[in-house]
Every structure is written in structure tokens, then in C-alpha cells.
Amino acid sequence: MNAQPDLSFDYSPWTFRANASASQREAQLERQRALAGKGGITIGEGAYVSALAMVDPDSLALGDESLIAAHAYLTGDLRIGSNCTVNAFTVVRGTVSMGDGVRIGAHTSILGFNHSMEPSAPVFRQPLTSKGIVFGDDVWIGSNAVVLDGVTVGSHAVLAAGAVVTKDVPDWAVVGGNPARFIRDRRSPRKPAGSGDGILRERLASFAATARADATEIIARSWQQEASGTGGFGEGRYVDRPGAAATVRAHCDAVEIADLLLRTTPPQLSRDAHAHRLRSLQDPRTGLVPEYGPDGLPDAGEPAFGRGEATYHVLSVGYALDLLGSGFKHPIHAVAGTGPADLAARLNALPWRKEAWECGAWVDAWGTAEYWNLAHAADANRGSTGTLEALFGWLLTRVNSAAGTWGTPSPDTRLKVVNGCYRLTRGTFAQFGLPVPHPEQLIGTVLEHGADPRYFADGRQNACNVLDVVHPLWLARKQVTHREADIKAWAATQLDHALSQWHPGQGMAFSAAPESAQQNLPGLQGTEMWLSITWYLADLLGHSEALGYRPRGVHRPEPAFLLPTL
């Protein structure tokens, strides 16, 4: 019996670049050469044209890294920019011009021609007419949409699934229905509660649908293929974004995104292979996970708790393994066996007045390490020995009762104090399901910080700063209804910003500020964090269920472990 051909690339062409074999790449190039040999056809670098697509144009310019999936039907005079996707069973005919980054959902019809229909003769004898269709850049066209001849669709527009577009669509517009009508401007602020809830829910659902549709491509673009025998893991590793160095966190972010949006694992490795790779990185002496060294293997130096990437890996690797149905191979020895007196001495030695964020991050990692040792203990010796009780006792007696934080916030210190408070409460009160102390004071401090235009004006936000406000607000709001209107107003403003930051096929950038250099480029870290932030912002407004996802990893809203009660 002949083996069935692998059709995955034909229907999911965005997986080709990361996963195709040498023979499959050569077959694709041969397909492109055959098409170009017909004349009038040019195909850019990194493009993909399924062998199951009917591509029979009078002329075609297909841009770099653009994709044509199985059973697409293309005729006429076509210009398709770079990073465009023509999904399965889509029809593009007549005179059609697309900018860059146009995404076309399956079963869509783009018809850049028409029949005359004078009553003097049957329609089939009438001549064809063609005004042409023009799309700008960054346009998302939902599945089963129909775009008729003569239409111009502006840049950044969204045509909802099933829309029948008969008139021009302006830049940034979202349209839907039959005939398509204007729904909203993608950039417009959220309307007041009571009059715009339906619009907000629709916007959240549209954002989540876009994220799911792009998730596989986003993860694939961050898979760095490696030649066997070059050190490290021969088949490849994850990078935050193309061109960046491979990191352990990038692998964990890929696992989190796949779980959050697709409820599966990244397709580059099997579930068991993902878990095996992450587990194998753990240093058996300390229980910590170091960063990759220059040779692609875990850094040979012994990692130290409280310094470097190994400390955050307690969170990122631990929760990635948890999502994979696995866990650390060894206890976190850097924490295991710590007694109450030793813990208190370590806490007292931290630079709380000068580096509140660093101190909060230390507590976060310590509490999370204790959680892994306690929750996944194979024997009682790996569980808590009273140090968790000592930790919460120390925190409750050291909290600033006027601010609800650890450290005294001032115009110069408030950023680090609030951000450190998020890290501290995430790994303690939130992770173990305990109420935060002084929630009303905490809300006041956090809202005052959230009004600082240096960090929260439009175009100034970054994922850390927004997360470090929304999570404490969400946590405190579970206990009190203090300043409810102010919380919702802040959440609505930041949610409007977050929903406008999606880069088609690339995800979200960690920072919105252009001067933040590499942090302004979309990647796995920014995508994972902003997806979680969006959930929390939407939940503060009562509409998180419209997203259809809920964080289950580092940023999970539920406690990870409930301590025994009397």
C-alpha cells in the first residue's frame, strides 16, 4: 500500500518554513519555477504555493514570505504583497492588489470583475467588466467573506467572517454583515458601560479569534532550526523572535501560548519531547535551571538563587512543565530545607528600601520554589517545614499599612514598589489563595501609580508595568469594592490600547514605546504577557469570557495550591 502524502503544509503553509525537509523545499522551489516559467509570474523569497492550489493568472506578483494554501483559486491580474496568506478554498479573481500583511480566511471570495447585465441579452453573453479591488496593509479578512469588484479596503481594516463588502472600507474600520456595515474604528476608545458592552465583547472575541488563527505561525517563526552536531539540541530551539538568541524562557513562552490559545503543545516537538527537554535543563545540585551557554547547552556554572535568569526559570520552567503534565525532576534544593530563622535572615538582608522590585522578585521565586517542592513532593522531607508560615508571618508584619505594599512609595520609588508588590503577591498570596493585607490602601497606591503618564500614557506602556498594576487591582478587588469606577476606567483605557497592538502573524511586542528598541518588536514574551494582561483587564470589566481563554500558567488567576485550614 502506498503511503499517504503529507498534506499538512498544503493546508497550514505557515508551518512549511520551520518544518519542511530538504526534499520538500526542493519540490516547492520546482513548483515555483514551473509557475514562473509560464510568464508574467514572480514569486518572492520564502513564499509558498500549495501544489493543490489552482494558480492560473494572467499576471501575478507574489511577495516575500506570502502563502497560498490548498484549493485556493487565483486568476486575473494579481499583486499580493509580502507576508500575506491566502487560506484554503479562497477565490481571488480579476484585478486585485493587496498590500503587505493581508490575511485572508478560508472560503473567502475576492472578485475583482463582474458581468454586465443589460436586459437586451442573456448574462452569459454579456462582456466582463473590471474596476479592480485594492487592499491596504495589515488587513484581516475573516472566513467566508465576499469582496465585490470596485471596492477599496483601507490599511488595518478588519472584514468580519461572512461579511459581504460592496463599498469602500476606510483605514482601521471593522465591518461586518450583509451588506457589510461599519461596526467601529479599531483605535476608538471603549464606549461608556451600559451602551458599549456588546461592542466590547465583540471586540474581545475578534481579538481572541485573530490570536488563535495566528498562534501556530507565531510559534513557528520563533523556532530556530539547528544543524545536528552543533551543540545543544540538534533539531532546534526557541527564540523570542527571529534573529534573537535562543533562551529557555522562549521555550516556556511557546508552551504557554500554545496552551492558552490552542489547548495543545507547540507542534515542533511532541509533548513528551517538550517535557524531556525542559526537565533535562535542571541542575541536579541546586534544582535551578540555568540559561543556555554559548555552546547551546545549559551553562556549566552553578546557578545561584536570587541572581540571573535561573531565578525566573523557577516560575517559567515550572509552570511550562505543569502545563505539559510534568514537573521538575529534582527538588529546588536552593530552597528545600530552609528553616524559619534562615528565611527571616534572608528576607531581612534584602534591599527593600532601594530595590523593592528585586526583593519582590526574590520572594516570588522563593514562594514558587516552595510550591513546587511542596505540591510535587514524593516524600514529606521535600515539603514545607514551617517556612511558608514564617514567610507569610514576616510579610504580614512588614507590610506598609498605609500603602498596602512592601516599601514606601514616592514619586521616585513608586514604580519599583508597585512592580515589586506584584511579584511578591503573585508568588505568595495569589499562588496560595490567601487574602492580601490592606486591600483598599493597595488599590489607592496602585491607581495613583497607574495614572503616571511616564508609564501608562498611550504608546508608553510595556507589559511588565501594565501587568504589575492590573494583577494587584484584580487581586484586591476580590476582597473589596473600593474605587470600583476608577478601576474600571483605568482597565478600559488600557484594554483599548492592548487590543490595538496585535501584529498579524507575529503577535505582540513587550513595549509600545518605539525607543525601546528590541522590546518594541513582537515576540513570544510580549505575546504571552499581553494575552494574560488582556484577560485580567477584561475580567475587571466583567467580560473575560468573551475571549474564550483563561491563563493556566505563570499568570493563572486561580491559586495553584491551597494550604490546609483548620
Side-chain angles (χ1 to χ4, degrees), residues 388-441:
L388 269 179
E389 291 81 355
L391 173 63
F392 283 109
W394 192 96
L395 294 174
L396 289 170
T397 55
R398 299 301 197 280
V399 64
N400 184 325
S401 60
T405 60
W406 288 262
T408 302
S410 69
D412 294 330
T413 65
R414 190 173 288 111
L415 172 66
K416 289 187 176 182
V417 169
V418 170
N419 289 7
C421 180
Y422 157 69
R423 288 296 305 272
L424 183 151
T425 54
R426 194 222 69 85
T428 54
F429 296 96
Q431 190 162 237
F432 291 95
L434 297 176
V436 294
H438 311 295
E440 292 188 358
Q441 289 77 7

Short mmCIF file of all heavy atoms in Angstrom, two decimals, residues 388-441:
data_model
loop_
_atom_site.label_atom_id
_atom_site.label_comp_id
_atom_site.label_asym_id
_atom_site.label_seq_id
_atom_site.Cartn_x
_atom_site.Cartn_y
_atom_site.Cartn_z
N LEU A 388 6.86 28.33 55.07
CA LEU A 388 5.78 29.10 54.44
C LEU A 388 5.04 29.92 55.49
O LEU A 388 4.72 31.08 55.27
CB LEU A 388 4.81 28.16 53.73
CG LEU A 388 5.09 27.86 52.25
CD1 LEU A 388 4.06 26.89 51.70
CD2 LEU A 388 5.11 29.13 51.42
N GLU A 389 4.78 29.32 56.61
CA GLU A 389 4.12 30.06 57.69
C GLU A 389 4.99 31.23 58.14
O GLU A 389 4.50 32.34 58.41
CB GLU A 389 3.83 29.12 58.86
CG GLU A 389 2.77 28.07 58.58
CD GLU A 389 3.29 26.86 57.81
OE1 GLU A 389 4.47 26.87 57.40
OE2 GLU A 389 2.51 25.91 57.63
N ALA A 390 6.32 30.96 58.22
CA ALA A 390 7.24 32.04 58.60
C ALA A 390 7.25 33.14 57.54
O ALA A 390 7.33 34.33 57.86
CB ALA A 390 8.65 31.47 58.79
N LEU A 391 7.19 32.75 56.27
CA LEU A 391 7.18 33.74 55.18
C LEU A 391 5.96 34.65 55.30
O LEU A 391 6.08 35.88 55.27
CB LEU A 391 7.18 33.03 53.83
CG LEU A 391 7.00 33.93 52.61
CD1 LEU A 391 8.16 34.91 52.48
CD2 LEU A 391 6.86 33.11 51.33
N PHE A 392 4.77 34.04 55.43
CA PHE A 392 3.56 34.87 55.50
C PHE A 392 3.55 35.71 56.77
O PHE A 392 3.09 36.85 56.77
CB PHE A 392 2.31 34.00 55.39
CG PHE A 392 2.03 33.55 53.98
CD1 PHE A 392 2.21 32.24 53.60
CD2 PHE A 392 1.60 34.45 53.03
CE1 PHE A 392 1.96 31.82 52.31
CE2 PHE A 392 1.35 34.06 51.72
CZ PHE A 392 1.53 32.75 51.35
N GLY A 393 4.06 35.17 57.86
CA GLY A 393 4.14 35.95 59.08
C GLY A 393 5.05 37.16 58.92
O GLY A 393 4.71 38.27 59.36
N TRP A 394 6.20 36.96 58.27
CA TRP A 394 7.13 38.07 58.04
C TRP A 394 6.47 39.13 57.15
O TRP A 394 6.56 40.33 57.44
CB TRP A 394 8.40 37.54 57.39
CG TRP A 394 9.55 38.51 57.37
CD1 TRP A 394 10.57 38.61 58.26
CD2 TRP A 394 9.76 39.53 56.39
NE1 TRP A 394 11.42 39.63 57.91
CE2 TRP A 394 10.95 40.22 56.75
CE3 TRP A 394 9.10 39.93 55.24
CZ2 TRP A 394 11.47 41.27 56.02
CZ3 TRP A 394 9.61 41.00 54.51
CH2 TRP A 394 10.78 41.65 54.90
N LEU A 395 5.82 38.69 56.08
CA LEU A 395 5.19 39.64 55.15
C LEU A 395 4.08 40.42 55.82
O LEU A 395 3.94 41.64 55.62
CB LEU A 395 4.66 38.90 53.93
CG LEU A 395 5.70 38.25 53.01
CD1 LEU A 395 5.01 37.43 51.93
CD2 LEU A 395 6.64 39.29 52.40
N LEU A 396 3.27 39.77 56.61
CA LEU A 396 2.14 40.45 57.25
C LEU A 396 2.60 41.46 58.31
O LEU A 396 1.90 42.44 58.57
CB LEU A 396 1.20 39.42 57.88
CG LEU A 396 0.39 38.57 56.89
CD1 LEU A 396 -0.31 37.43 57.60
CD2 LEU A 396 -0.63 39.44 56.15
N THR A 397 3.75 41.22 58.89
CA THR A 397 4.23 42.16 59.91
C THR A 397 5.13 43.25 59.32
O THR A 397 5.47 44.20 60.01
CB THR A 397 5.01 41.41 61.01
OG1 THR A 397 6.07 40.65 60.42
CG2 THR A 397 4.07 40.49 61.78
N ARG A 398 5.51 43.12 58.05
CA ARG A 398 6.38 44.12 57.43
C ARG A 398 5.67 44.98 56.39
O ARG A 398 6.26 45.91 55.85
CB ARG A 398 7.58 43.45 56.75
CG ARG A 398 8.47 42.64 57.67
CD ARG A 398 9.08 43.48 58.80
NE ARG A 398 10.22 42.83 59.41
CZ ARG A 398 10.13 41.87 60.32
NH1 ARG A 398 8.95 41.40 60.69
NH2 ARG A 398 11.24 41.34 60.85
N VAL A 399 4.42 44.68 56.08
CA VAL A 399 3.72 45.43 55.05
C VAL A 399 3.50 46.87 55.50
O VAL A 399 3.27 47.15 56.69
CB VAL A 399 2.36 44.75 54.72
CG1 VAL A 399 1.42 44.76 55.91
CG2 VAL A 399 1.71 45.42 53.50
N ASN A 400 3.59 47.81 54.57
CA ASN A 400 3.30 49.21 54.84
C ASN A 400 1.78 49.36 54.88
O ASN A 400 1.11 49.34 53.84
CB ASN A 400 3.91 50.07 53.73
CG ASN A 400 3.74 51.56 53.98
OD1 ASN A 400 2.75 52.00 54.53
ND2 ASN A 400 4.73 52.34 53.55
N SER A 401 1.22 49.52 56.06
CA SER A 401 -0.24 49.52 56.21
C SER A 401 -0.89 50.73 55.57
O SER A 401 -2.07 50.70 55.24
CB SER A 401 -0.61 49.45 57.69
OG SER A 401 -0.08 50.58 58.39
N ALA A 402 -0.14 51.81 55.37
CA ALA A 402 -0.70 53.00 54.73
C ALA A 402 -0.77 52.86 53.22
O ALA A 402 -1.56 53.56 52.56
CB ALA A 402 0.12 54.23 55.11
N ALA A 403 0.07 51.97 52.65
CA ALA A 403 0.14 51.84 51.19
C ALA A 403 -0.28 50.46 50.70
O ALA A 403 -0.58 50.29 49.52
CB ALA A 403 1.57 52.13 50.72
N GLY A 404 -0.31 49.47 51.60
CA GLY A 404 -0.63 48.11 51.17
C GLY A 404 0.47 47.45 50.39
O GLY A 404 0.24 46.47 49.70
N THR A 405 1.69 47.98 50.48
CA THR A 405 2.83 47.47 49.72
C THR A 405 3.99 47.18 50.67
O THR A 405 3.93 47.49 51.86
CB THR A 405 3.29 48.49 48.68
OG1 THR A 405 3.69 49.70 49.35
CG2 THR A 405 2.19 48.81 47.68
N TRP A 406 5.04 46.61 50.13
CA TRP A 406 6.26 46.39 50.88
C TRP A 406 7.28 47.39 50.35
O TRP A 406 7.76 47.28 49.22
CB TRP A 406 6.73 44.95 50.70
CG TRP A 406 5.83 44.02 51.46
CD1 TRP A 406 6.05 43.49 52.70
CD2 TRP A 406 4.54 43.55 51.05
NE1 TRP A 406 4.98 42.72 53.09
CE2 TRP A 406 4.04 42.73 52.09
CE3 TRP A 406 3.75 43.74 49.91
CZ2 TRP A 406 2.80 42.10 52.03
CZ3 TRP A 406 2.51 43.13 49.85
CH2 TRP A 406 2.05 42.31 50.90
N GLY A 407 7.57 48.39 51.15
CA GLY A 407 8.33 49.54 50.70
C GLY A 407 7.42 50.76 50.71
O GLY A 407 6.19 50.65 50.68
N THR A 408 8.02 51.93 50.80
CA THR A 408 7.26 53.18 50.87
C THR A 408 7.24 53.86 49.51
O THR A 408 8.28 54.29 49.02
CB THR A 408 7.89 54.13 51.91
OG1 THR A 408 7.91 53.47 53.18
CG2 THR A 408 7.08 55.42 52.01
N PRO A 409 6.05 53.95 48.86
CA PRO A 409 6.00 54.55 47.52
C PRO A 409 6.13 56.07 47.58
O PRO A 409 5.52 56.73 48.43
CB PRO A 409 4.63 54.13 47.01
CG PRO A 409 3.80 53.91 48.24
CD PRO A 409 4.76 53.42 49.30
N SER A 410 6.93 56.60 46.68
CA SER A 410 7.07 58.04 46.49
C SER A 410 7.16 58.27 44.99
O SER A 410 7.26 57.31 44.21
CB SER A 410 8.34 58.55 47.18
OG SER A 410 9.49 58.06 46.50
N PRO A 411 7.12 59.52 44.52
CA PRO A 411 7.23 59.72 43.07
C PRO A 411 8.47 59.07 42.46
O PRO A 411 8.45 58.67 41.30
CB PRO A 411 7.29 61.25 42.95
CG PRO A 411 6.51 61.74 44.13
CD PRO A 411 6.82 60.78 45.24
N ASP A 412 9.54 58.94 43.24
CA ASP A 412 10.77 58.35 42.71
C ASP A 412 10.82 56.83 42.87
O ASP A 412 11.53 56.16 42.11
CB ASP A 412 11.99 58.96 43.42
CG ASP A 412 12.16 60.44 43.10
OD1 ASP A 412 11.76 60.84 41.98
OD2 ASP A 412 12.66 61.17 43.96
N THR A 413 10.09 56.28 43.83
CA THR A 413 10.20 54.84 44.12
C THR A 413 8.95 54.06 43.76
O THR A 413 8.97 52.83 43.80
CB THR A 413 10.49 54.62 45.62
OG1 THR A 413 9.36 55.07 46.40
CG2 THR A 413 11.74 55.36 46.05
N ARG A 414 7.85 54.74 43.41
CA ARG A 414 6.55 54.06 43.26
C ARG A 414 6.59 52.96 42.20
O ARG A 414 6.00 51.89 42.38
CB ARG A 414 5.46 55.07 42.94
CG ARG A 414 4.05 54.48 43.01
CD ARG A 414 2.98 55.55 42.85
NE ARG A 414 2.92 56.39 44.03
CZ ARG A 414 3.29 57.65 44.08
NH1 ARG A 414 3.77 58.25 42.98
NH2 ARG A 414 3.20 58.35 45.19
N LEU A 415 7.30 53.17 41.10
CA LEU A 415 7.36 52.15 40.05
C LEU A 415 7.91 50.84 40.61
O LEU A 415 7.31 49.78 40.44
CB LEU A 415 8.23 52.63 38.89
CG LEU A 415 8.53 51.60 37.80
CD1 LEU A 415 7.25 51.23 37.05
CD2 LEU A 415 9.58 52.13 36.82
N LYS A 416 9.07 50.90 41.28
CA LYS A 416 9.67 49.68 41.79
C LYS A 416 8.84 49.08 42.93
O LYS A 416 8.74 47.85 43.06
CB LYS A 416 11.10 49.95 42.26
CG LYS A 416 12.07 50.20 41.11
CD LYS A 416 13.50 50.30 41.63
CE LYS A 416 14.48 50.45 40.47
NZ LYS A 416 15.88 50.51 40.95
N VAL A 417 8.25 49.92 43.75
CA VAL A 417 7.45 49.41 44.86
C VAL A 417 6.22 48.66 44.35
O VAL A 417 5.91 47.56 44.80
CB VAL A 417 7.05 50.56 45.81
CG1 VAL A 417 5.99 50.09 46.81
CG2 VAL A 417 8.28 51.07 46.56
N VAL A 418 5.50 49.26 43.39
CA VAL A 418 4.30 48.62 42.85
C VAL A 418 4.67 47.36 42.07
O VAL A 418 4.04 46.31 42.22
CB VAL A 418 3.49 49.60 41.98
CG1 VAL A 418 2.38 48.87 41.23
CG2 VAL A 418 2.90 50.70 42.85
N ASN A 419 5.70 47.46 41.23
CA ASN A 419 6.10 46.28 40.46
C ASN A 419 6.60 45.17 41.37
O ASN A 419 6.34 43.99 41.15
CB ASN A 419 7.16 46.66 39.44
CG ASN A 419 6.60 47.50 38.30
OD1 ASN A 419 5.44 47.91 38.34
ND2 ASN A 419 7.41 47.78 37.30
N GLY A 420 7.32 45.54 42.43
CA GLY A 420 7.77 44.53 43.39
C GLY A 420 6.60 43.93 44.15
O GLY A 420 6.61 42.74 44.49
N CYS A 421 5.59 44.74 44.42
CA CYS A 421 4.39 44.23 45.11
C CYS A 421 3.69 43.18 44.26
O CYS A 421 3.23 42.15 44.78
CB CYS A 421 3.46 45.39 45.42
SG CYS A 421 1.94 44.90 46.27
N TYR A 422 3.60 43.42 42.95
CA TYR A 422 3.00 42.40 42.08
C TYR A 422 3.76 41.09 42.18
O TYR A 422 3.17 40.02 42.38
CB TYR A 422 2.97 42.86 40.63
CG TYR A 422 2.90 41.67 39.68
CD1 TYR A 422 1.76 40.88 39.61
CD2 TYR A 422 4.01 41.30 38.91
CE1 TYR A 422 1.71 39.76 38.81
CE2 TYR A 422 3.96 40.18 38.11
CZ TYR A 422 2.81 39.42 38.06
OH TYR A 422 2.79 38.29 37.27
N ARG A 423 5.09 41.15 42.02
CA ARG A 423 5.87 39.92 42.05
C ARG A 423 5.72 39.21 43.40
O ARG A 423 5.53 37.98 43.46
CB ARG A 423 7.34 40.22 41.77
CG ARG A 423 7.66 40.61 40.33
CD ARG A 423 7.39 39.49 39.33
NE ARG A 423 8.09 38.27 39.67
CZ ARG A 423 9.33 37.96 39.29
NH1 ARG A 423 10.02 38.82 38.55
NH2 ARG A 423 9.88 36.81 39.62
N LEU A 424 5.78 39.97 44.47
CA LEU A 424 5.68 39.37 45.80
C LEU A 424 4.32 38.70 46.01
O LEU A 424 4.25 37.55 46.45
CB LEU A 424 5.92 40.46 46.85
CG LEU A 424 5.92 40.05 48.31
CD1 LEU A 424 6.83 40.98 49.11
CD2 LEU A 424 4.51 40.10 48.93
N THR A 425 3.24 39.41 45.69
CA THR A 425 1.91 38.84 45.94
C THR A 425 1.59 37.69 44.97
O THR A 425 0.86 36.78 45.33
CB THR A 425 0.83 39.92 45.83
OG1 THR A 425 0.94 40.59 44.57
CG2 THR A 425 0.98 40.95 46.95
N ARG A 426 2.14 37.74 43.75
CA ARG A 426 1.90 36.64 42.81
C ARG A 426 2.39 35.32 43.35
O ARG A 426 1.72 34.30 43.27
CB ARG A 426 2.59 36.95 41.48
CG ARG A 426 2.15 36.07 40.30
CD ARG A 426 3.30 35.62 39.42
NE ARG A 426 4.15 34.69 40.12
CZ ARG A 426 3.93 33.38 40.19
NH1 ARG A 426 2.89 32.84 39.61
NH2 ARG A 426 4.75 32.59 40.88
N GLY A 427 3.61 35.32 43.91
CA GLY A 427 4.20 34.07 44.37
C GLY A 427 3.81 33.67 45.77
O GLY A 427 4.23 32.60 46.24
N THR A 428 3.01 34.50 46.45
CA THR A 428 2.62 34.19 47.83
C THR A 428 1.10 34.21 47.98
O THR A 428 0.45 33.17 47.86
CB THR A 428 3.28 35.18 48.81
OG1 THR A 428 2.97 36.53 48.41
CG2 THR A 428 4.79 35.00 48.80
N PHE A 429 0.53 35.36 48.19
CA PHE A 429 -0.90 35.45 48.48
C PHE A 429 -1.75 34.90 47.33
O PHE A 429 -2.72 34.17 47.56
CB PHE A 429 -1.28 36.90 48.80
CG PHE A 429 -0.62 37.42 50.03
CD1 PHE A 429 0.56 38.16 49.96
CD2 PHE A 429 -1.14 37.15 51.29
CE1 PHE A 429 1.19 38.62 51.10
CE2 PHE A 429 -0.52 37.61 52.45
CZ PHE A 429 0.64 38.35 52.35
N ALA A 430 -1.41 35.25 46.10
CA ALA A 430 -2.20 34.75 44.96
C ALA A 430 -1.96 33.26 44.74
O ALA A 430 -2.91 32.49 44.54
CB ALA A 430 -1.84 35.54 43.71
N GLN A 431 -0.72 32.84 44.77
CA GLN A 431 -0.38 31.45 44.46
C GLN A 431 -0.93 30.47 45.49
O GLN A 431 -1.29 29.33 45.15
CB GLN A 431 1.14 31.30 44.36
CG GLN A 431 1.61 29.98 43.80
CD GLN A 431 3.05 30.06 43.33
OE1 GLN A 431 3.33 29.79 42.17
NE2 GLN A 431 3.95 30.45 44.21
N PHE A 432 -1.04 30.94 46.75
CA PHE A 432 -1.52 30.06 47.81
C PHE A 432 -2.93 30.41 48.27
O PHE A 432 -3.42 29.84 49.26
CB PHE A 432 -0.55 30.10 49.00
CG PHE A 432 0.77 29.46 48.70
CD1 PHE A 432 1.84 30.21 48.28
CD2 PHE A 432 0.93 28.08 48.79
CE1 PHE A 432 3.06 29.63 47.97
CE2 PHE A 432 2.15 27.48 48.49
CZ PHE A 432 3.22 28.25 48.08
N GLY A 433 -3.61 31.32 47.56
CA GLY A 433 -5.02 31.58 47.82
C GLY A 433 -5.32 32.28 49.12
O GLY A 433 -6.36 32.04 49.74
N LEU A 434 -4.45 33.18 49.55
CA LEU A 434 -4.65 33.92 50.80
C LEU A 434 -4.96 35.39 50.49
O LEU A 434 -4.48 35.95 49.51
CB LEU A 434 -3.39 33.84 51.67
CG LEU A 434 -3.01 32.42 52.13
CD1 LEU A 434 -1.70 32.47 52.89
CD2 LEU A 434 -4.11 31.82 52.98
N PRO A 435 -5.77 36.05 51.34
CA PRO A 435 -6.12 37.46 51.08
C PRO A 435 -4.93 38.37 51.29
O PRO A 435 -4.10 38.17 52.18
CB PRO A 435 -7.23 37.73 52.11
CG PRO A 435 -6.98 36.73 53.21
CD PRO A 435 -6.44 35.50 52.53
N VAL A 436 -4.85 39.41 50.44
CA VAL A 436 -3.77 40.39 50.60
C VAL A 436 -4.12 41.32 51.76
O VAL A 436 -5.29 41.63 51.99
CB VAL A 436 -3.54 41.20 49.31
CG1 VAL A 436 -3.04 40.30 48.20
CG2 VAL A 436 -4.81 41.92 48.89
N PRO A 437 -3.13 41.77 52.50
CA PRO A 437 -3.41 42.71 53.59
C PRO A 437 -3.69 44.11 53.05
O PRO A 437 -3.16 44.50 52.01
CB PRO A 437 -2.12 42.67 54.41
CG PRO A 437 -1.05 42.30 53.44
CD PRO A 437 -1.71 41.38 52.44
N HIS A 438 -4.55 44.85 53.74
CA HIS A 438 -4.84 46.25 53.43
C HIS A 438 -5.21 46.45 51.96
O HIS A 438 -4.60 47.26 51.23
CB HIS A 438 -3.63 47.13 53.80
CG HIS A 438 -3.09 46.87 55.16
ND1 HIS A 438 -3.81 47.11 56.32
CD2 HIS A 438 -1.88 46.36 55.56
CE1 HIS A 438 -3.08 46.77 57.37
NE2 HIS A 438 -1.91 46.30 56.95
N PRO A 439 -6.24 45.78 51.46
CA PRO A 439 -6.56 45.86 50.03
C PRO A 439 -6.99 47.26 49.58
O PRO A 439 -6.68 47.66 48.46
CB PRO A 439 -7.69 44.84 49.86
CG PRO A 439 -8.29 44.70 51.23
CD PRO A 439 -7.16 44.87 52.18
N GLU A 440 -7.70 48.02 50.42
CA GLU A 440 -8.12 49.36 49.98
C GLU A 440 -6.92 50.28 49.81
O GLU A 440 -6.85 51.06 48.85
CB GLU A 440 -9.12 49.94 50.99
CG GLU A 440 -10.45 49.19 51.01
CD GLU A 440 -11.49 49.89 51.88
OE1 GLU A 440 -11.16 50.93 52.51
OE2 GLU A 440 -12.63 49.41 51.92
N GLN A 441 -5.98 50.21 50.73
CA GLN A 441 -4.78 51.02 50.59
C GLN A 441 -3.95 50.59 49.38
O GLN A 441 -3.38 51.43 48.68
CB GLN A 441 -3.93 50.90 51.87
CG GLN A 441 -4.52 51.60 53.08
CD GLN A 441 -5.66 50.83 53.73
OE1 GLN A 441 -5.95 49.69 53.37
NE2 GLN A 441 -6.32 51.46 54.71
#
